[in-house]
């Protein structure tokens, strides 16, 4: 009888293993990234700009590890000087992504690279027209002007994936903020907005308040502007009204629940009364019979429910994180001495009643002893109402006991780091 053929063990030894492609992809992730890198370098040569060494190394690491590049960071080369080439630019990367239709990008961070209106417009067109699901966009200290910022978010309906936007350290002013808010009113996915050190004034507080109250934005970072007490009050006014309404409904629900529990307790006492001589021996209470008869056998082999994709975040005046440090909330702005106290009373109501509030940064604002006391009383009332704690930061320039109590009740706030050498222009007092 002829022997069985072997399974071919040892066959093909020494040959390299093929890189597996991800599910749904026709090519290996490493090959896709390598081709993007090649096109990016070619675009830099065509535009006479230097290739970003950090981005080049990152793409090389992704190719070697056979993984997709989803987070792109661009920043200039420090002290770069060349008579022919310019420093790192954004445009070659945008052209490379569009040429390769690289639809795997999720985050784009551009730091300290001056952007012209044409650069911002090209970026906006890429996000609006192409299949590029960018969820986080940062253009920090890029000299973005007001009309360029407005162009970025002009067609916000087309930006169906973006959730986080940061334009810190760009002097867009009130006009730029108004233009941004026009676009954001049509967006349904944005949840975090950062406009720190952007030269915003009182007018920006009003338009931002309308956006926060009617969209899904719930994290707002506005440190280093000049909203003053009036602008900050307009920013949170509708959120304060909503928090008071929610607190009233919670109180009504708690009273209703307490009444239902009291009725249930009385009914239980009635069922467990002492048996009389007329009760049949060995009989069980009717409640036990009904509970036993009401039990149904569990069917085996339950069908698994198919997971539905998550819908858009909820809209409305829901503020989770609000950072308004160094915004001129003091007695020198409009409204004089009483303006910071009136603003802090609104913040007290928000802290006391808002169940979703997590962080509140009021540092570097001279709110005074009375303003600090309002925040302290709000934190105490929040604790008595049984709501989750909120992290709070205030200036130490107030009564020591008040400041200590605020730090005790609202500690743990991690603040954004301020860029070295950057800050807002102080107003004359």
């Amino acid at each position: 009888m002829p022997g069985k053929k072997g399974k071919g063990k040892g066959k093909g030894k020494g040959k390299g293993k093929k890189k597996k492609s991800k599910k749904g992809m026709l090519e290996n992730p490493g090959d896709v990234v390598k081709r993007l890198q090649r096109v990016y370098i070619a675009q830099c040569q065509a535009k006479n700009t230097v290739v970003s060494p950090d981005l080049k190394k990152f793409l090389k690491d992704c190719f070697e590890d056979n993984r997709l590049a989803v987070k792109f960071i661009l920043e200039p080369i420090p002290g770069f000087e060349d008579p022919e080439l310019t420093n790192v630019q954004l445009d070659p990367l945008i052209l490379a992504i569009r040429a390769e239709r690289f639809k795997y990008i999720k985050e784009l961070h551009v730091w300290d690279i001056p952007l012209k209106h044409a650069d911002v417009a090209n970026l906006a067109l890429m996000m609006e027209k192409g299949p590029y699901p960018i969820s986080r966009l940062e253009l920090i200290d890029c000299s973005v002007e007001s009309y360029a910022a407005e162009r970025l978010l002009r067609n916000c309906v087309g930006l169906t994936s973006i959730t986080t936007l940061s334009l810190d350290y760009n002097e867009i002013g009130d006009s730029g903020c108004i233009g941004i808010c026009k676009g954001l009113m049509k967006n349904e996915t944005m949840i975090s907005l950062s406009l720190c050190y952007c030269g915003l004034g009182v007018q920006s507080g009003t338009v931002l308040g309308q956006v926060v109250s009617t969209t899904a934005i719930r994290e707002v970072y506005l440190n280093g502007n000049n909203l003053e007490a009036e602008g900050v009050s307009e920013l949170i006014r509708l959120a304060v009204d909503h928090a008071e309404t929610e607190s009233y409904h919670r109180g009504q629900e708690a009273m209703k629940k307490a009444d239902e529990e009291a009725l249930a307790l009385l009914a239980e006492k009635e069922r467990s009364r002492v048996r009389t001589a007329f009760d049949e021996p060995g009989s069980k209470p009717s409640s036990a019979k009904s509970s036993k008869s009401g039990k149904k056998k569990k069917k085996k082999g339950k069908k698994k429910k198919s997971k539905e994709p998550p819908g858009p975040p909820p809209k409305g005046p829901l503020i989770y994180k609000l950072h308004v440090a160094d915004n001129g909330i003091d007695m020198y702005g409009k409204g004089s001495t009483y303006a910071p106290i009136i603003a802090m009373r609104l913040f007290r109501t928000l802290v006391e009643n808002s169940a979703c509030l997590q962080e509140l940064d009021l540092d570097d604002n001279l709110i005074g002893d009375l303003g600090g006391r309002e925040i302290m009383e709000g934190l105490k009332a929040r604790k008595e109402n049984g709501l989750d704690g909120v992290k709070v930061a205030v200036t130490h320039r107030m009564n020591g006991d008040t400041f200590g109590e605020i730090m005790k009740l609202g500690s743990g706030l991690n603040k954004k780091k301020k860029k070295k050498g950057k800050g807002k222009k102080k107003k004359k007092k």
Side-chain angles (χ1 to χ4, degrees):
M1 188 174 178
K4 292 182 180 179
K5 289 183 180 181
K7 294 183 180 179
K9 288 184 179 179
K11 205 172 185 180
K13 282 186 178 180
K15 292 184 180 179
K17 292 182 179 178
K18 289 185 179 180
K19 294 179 180 179
K20 294 181 179 179
S21 60
K22 289 194 174 184
K23 189 177 181 182
M25 289 187 65
L26 299 176
E27 297 180 88
N28 295 322
D31 295 338
V32 176
V33 174
K34 187 176 183 180
R35 192 166 59 248
L36 176 68
Q37 183 193 43
R38 187 166 57 247
V39 176
Y40 168 64
I41 294 173
Q43 290 292 345
C44 287
Q45 292 173 351
K47 294 283 185 180
N48 290 326
T49 64
V50 66
V51 177
S52 170
D54 295 333
L55 181 58
K56 184 179 178 181
K57 183 180 180 301
F58 169 67
L59 294 175
K60 183 181 177 183
D61 293 341
C62 290
F63 164 68
E64 292 176 350
D65 297 340
N66 195 37
R67 59 186 172 89
L68 290 169
V70 296
K71 182 178 180 180
F72 291 78
I73 299 176
L74 271 184
E75 53 185 336
I77 300 173
F80 177 81
E81 291 182 4
D82 193 285
E84 297 180 358
L85 299 177
T86 58
N87 211 330
V88 178
Q89 297 294 321
L90 173 63
D91 200 39
L93 178 60
I94 298 299
L95 292 173
I97 291 173
R98 295 187 71 176
E100 288 299 309
R101 291 185 69 83
F102 190 82
K103 58 183 180 181
Y104 310 104
I105 179 173
K106 293 182 180 178
E107 296 186 24
L108 178 59
H109 305 257
V110 185
W111 302 331
D112 301 318
I113 296 177
L115 299 179
K116 299 177 182 177
H117 177 72
D119 299 326
V120 178
N122 288 338
L123 173 60
L125 283 171
M126 184 190 79
M127 294 190 299
E128 293 166 4
K129 304 296 183 182
Y132 309 109
I134 298 176
S135 60
R136 185 182 184 92
L137 176 63
E138 287 187 0
L139 305 178
I140 297 179
D141 197 10
C142 293
S143 303
V144 177
E145 297 182 357
S146 59
Y147 59 92
E150 182 180 356
R151 173 62 192 92
L152 180 66
L153 298 175
R154 183 184 298 168
N155 188 18
C156 230
V157 178
L159 309 181
T160 57
S161 60
I162 189 166
T163 61
T164 305
L165 174 66
S166 177
L167 296 175
D168 297 347
Y169 298 99
N170 293 291
E171 288 285 335
I172 61 174
D174 287 334
S175 59
C177 183
I178 293 170
I180 288 173
C181 290
K182 284 181 182 177
L184 289 175
M185 292 291 286
K186 304 171 185 176
N187 185 269
E188 295 185 351
T189 59
M190 188 90 69
I191 60 174
S192 179
L193 177 65
S194 183
L195 298 174
C196 298
Y197 298 93
C198 287
L200 309 185
V202 175
Q203 192 177 2
S204 295
T206 304
V207 293
L208 284 169
Q210 295 172 355
V211 168
V212 171
S213 303
T214 55
T215 66
I217 295 175
R218 58 195 185 198
E219 298 178 9
V220 186
Y221 303 91
L222 300 170
N223 296 340
N225 291 295
N226 287 303
L227 297 183
E228 300 182 2
E230 183 185 357
V232 170
S233 298
E234 293 300 320
L235 173 64
I236 66 170
R237 194 175 299 279
L238 290 176
V240 170
D241 293 341
H242 185 266
E244 283 187 304
T245 304
E246 277 195 336
S247 177
Y248 172 77
H249 287 310
R250 283 197 303 269
Q252 294 296 314
E253 288 292 329
M255 290 174 60
K256 184 179 178 181
K257 188 176 180 181
D259 292 341
E260 289 176 353
E261 288 178 354
L263 290 172
L265 186 61
L266 288 173
E268 186 65 27
K269 286 181 179 179
E270 183 66 22
R271 285 196 296 267
S272 59
R273 58 184 170 74
V274 181
R275 293 180 187 175
T276 62
F278 296 98
D279 293 331
E280 295 180 7
S283 62
K284 293 183 179 180
S286 59
S287 59
K289 291 179 182 178
S290 61
S291 62
K292 190 174 181 181
S293 60
K295 289 182 180 179
K296 294 182 180 179
K297 293 182 180 180
K298 294 181 180 179
K299 294 181 180 179
K300 293 182 180 180
K302 288 185 178 178
K303 293 182 180 179
K304 291 184 179 179
K305 293 182 180 179
S306 58
K307 291 184 179 179
E308 296 181 359
K315 295 182 181 181
L318 304 171
I319 296 179
Y320 287 60
K321 298 179 182 180
L322 179 60
H323 290 223
V324 286
D326 192 15
N327 262 277
I329 307 173
D330 50 38
M331 64 184 68
Y332 301 102
K334 190 176 179 180
S336 188
T337 309
Y338 300 104
I341 301 174
I342 295 170
M344 291 309 109
R345 283 178 180 171
L346 286 173
F347 276 110
R348 171 182 176 172
T349 307
L350 184 68
V351 170
E352 183 177 340
N353 298 313
S354 176
C356 62
L357 186 64
Q358 298 172 359
E359 294 181 8
L360 177 61
D361 187 2
L362 293 167
D363 204 1
D364 294 326
N365 293 296
L366 191 57
I367 61 177
D369 293 335
L370 294 177
R373 191 163 186 83
E374 294 289 340
I375 300 298
M376 181 189 70
E377 295 297 335
L379 288 169
K380 286 182 177 179
R382 182 182 184 87
K383 188 176 180 181
E384 292 173 1
N385 292 338
L387 299 178
D388 294 336
V390 58
K391 300 173 183 177
V392 178
V394 294
T395 179
H396 65 281
R397 296 173 66 182
M398 61 177 65
N399 182 277
D401 294 337
T402 304
F403 178 76
E405 192 67 22
I406 293 173
M407 291 297 98
K408 181 181 176 182
L409 294 170
S411 61
L413 180 62
N414 296 322
K415 304 199 326 180
K416 277 189 174 184
K417 291 184 179 179
K418 182 179 176 181
K419 291 189 71 174
K420 292 182 180 179
K422 288 284 180 180
K424 67 177 180 180
K425 294 179 182 179
K426 293 290 181 181
K427 58 184 177 180
K428 293 181 181 181
K429 296 179 180 180

